[in-house]
């Protein structure tokens, strides 16, 4: 586990009033959804029939705010489901430890049950933005471009290029993260998988 956060997420959550941060985060997530829908609509893209679920991809999450929000979501699960989620998380972490790094790691996210995310409302940013082509703009640099997932690429060939600009979302999230970290007096770097967040 590369997380070097101390104290752990549960302890941080106990000490902080996160309500306002969560409200603001939800508002950023709403803006992302609107932006995403515009691009998906332009390309006529949706996830129906996808055989390559992005929930099989190992993503790392880097903001304290998203980690705490996911932890908040865990509180909404009933005890049996939570137990299953934790067992799947342990299995995920073990599989990753034993993984041969030459091959991409592919294992279903511990929050995905029968193709559905059980914490859909609480899922992190990358789960919300993955799929469509996108750009990230930094001052004085060419935009960084991402092509979108395989299913998107197959669909999008004929259409006029229209990327999702992730820049404003990243900026808003970074501003919230800065405030939260200042309040929590946390400056350690975070790099956690969903499984690690769940078990932390
Ligand atoms: S958090 Fe939800 S949407 Fe994101 S990878 Fe896991 S199951 Fe999929
Ligand atoms: S975003 Fe792409 S990879 Fe992920 S479920 Fe949708 S179609 Fe599949």
């Amino acid at each position: 586990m590369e997380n070097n956060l101390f104290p752990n997420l549960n302890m941080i959550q106990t000490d902080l009033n996160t309500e306002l941060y969560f409200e603001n985060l939800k508002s950023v997530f709403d803006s992302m959804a609107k932006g995403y829908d515009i691009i998906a609509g332009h390309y006529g893209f949706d996830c129906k029939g996808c055989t390559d679920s992005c929930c099989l991809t190992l993503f790392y999450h880097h903001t304290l705010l998203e980690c705490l929000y996911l932890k908040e979501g865990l509180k909404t699960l009933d005890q049996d489901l939570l137990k299953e989620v934790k067992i799947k998380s342990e299995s995920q972490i073990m599989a990753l430890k034993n993984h041969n790094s030459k091959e991409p790691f592919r294992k279903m996210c511990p929050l995905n049950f029968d193709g559905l995310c059980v914490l859909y409302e609480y899922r992190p940013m990358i789960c919300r933005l993955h799929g469509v082509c996108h750009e990230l703009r930094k001052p004085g640099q060419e935009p960084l471009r991402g092509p979108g997932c395989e299913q998107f690429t197959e669909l999008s060939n004929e259409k006029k290029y229209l990327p999702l600009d992730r820049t404003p979302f990243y900026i808003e999230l970074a501003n919230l993260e800065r405030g939260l970290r200042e309040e929590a007096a946390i400056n350690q770097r975070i790099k956690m998988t969903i499984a690690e967040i769940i078990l932390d």
Side-chain angles (χ1 to χ4, degrees):
M1 200 184 294
E2 292 194 46
N3 172 38
N4 57 3
L5 189 64
F6 183 81
N8 75 12
L9 293 171
N10 284 332
M11 288 173 71
I12 295 169
Q13 205 164 17
T14 312
D15 291 346
L16 269 181
N17 183 353
T18 45
E19 207 173 315
L20 187 60
Y21 289 102
F22 290 163
E23 280 308 311
N24 288 332
L25 180 62
K26 277 192 261 180
S27 152
V28 178
F29 284 162
D30 285 347
S31 307
M32 284 178 193
K34 285 186 188 125
Y36 188 98
D37 287 348
I38 290 170
I39 307 303
H42 167 78
Y43 287 100
F45 167 70
D46 64 35
C47 298
K48 278 192 203 104
C50 173
T51 52
D52 181 34
S53 168
C54 41
C55 302
L56 284 163
T57 306
L58 185 76
F59 291 116
Y60 286 98
H61 308 279
H62 301 278
T63 70
L64 178 61
L65 181 52
E66 289 177 287
C67 293
L68 293 183
Y69 193 53
L70 196 86
K71 294 291 254 185
E72 188 71 9
L74 287 175
K75 294 179 191 166
T76 66
L77 300 181
D78 72 48
Q79 286 306 305
D80 288 346
L81 183 52
L82 181 60
K83 197 171 164 195
E84 265 193 83
V85 163
K86 287 186 174 175
I87 291 168
K88 285 168 70 168
S89 299
E90 279 162 10
S91 155
Q92 177 92 331
I93 288 173
M94 192 54 71
L96 189 55
K97 264 189 196 148
N98 297 328
H99 176 63
N100 164 7
S101 59
K102 285 182 193 145
E103 301 292 327
F105 181 79
R106 303 280 290 164
K107 189 166 166 61
M108 192 52 87
C109 172
L111 291 173
N112 188 307
F113 285 68
D114 301 324
L116 296 176
C117 178
V118 293
L119 287 186
Y120 192 75
E121 297 302 323
Y122 295 87
R123 72 200 192 287
M125 174 180 69
I126 192 61
C127 305
R128 295 164 189 266
L129 296 182
H130 189 76
V132 299
C133 60
H134 58 270
E135 291 189 353
L136 185 61
R137 296 168 185 278
K138 291 187 181 172
Q141 294 179 21
E142 286 293 306
L144 285 171
R145 293 184 169 172
C149 69
E150 230 170 81
Q151 178 148 316
F152 174 82
T153 306
E154 279 169 25
L155 269 171
S156 62
N157 280 341
E158 308 287 311
K159 299 275 169 59
K160 184 169 174 263
Y161 178 61
L162 182 67
L164 177 65
D165 184 2
R166 290 184 176 182
T167 318
F169 311 131
Y170 281 33
I171 290 172
E172 285 178 73
L173 186 57
N175 287 338
L176 290 178
E177 176 75 359
R178 193 175 308 115
L180 180 69
R181 278 172 172 264
E182 272 171 22
E183 210 168 306
I186 297 284
N187 59 13
Q188 290 94 331
R189 179 174 164 267
I190 296 175
K191 184 183 177 189
M192 297 177 88
T193 64
I194 292 282
E196 288 170 341
I197 297 168
I198 289 166
L199 294 178
D200 191 67

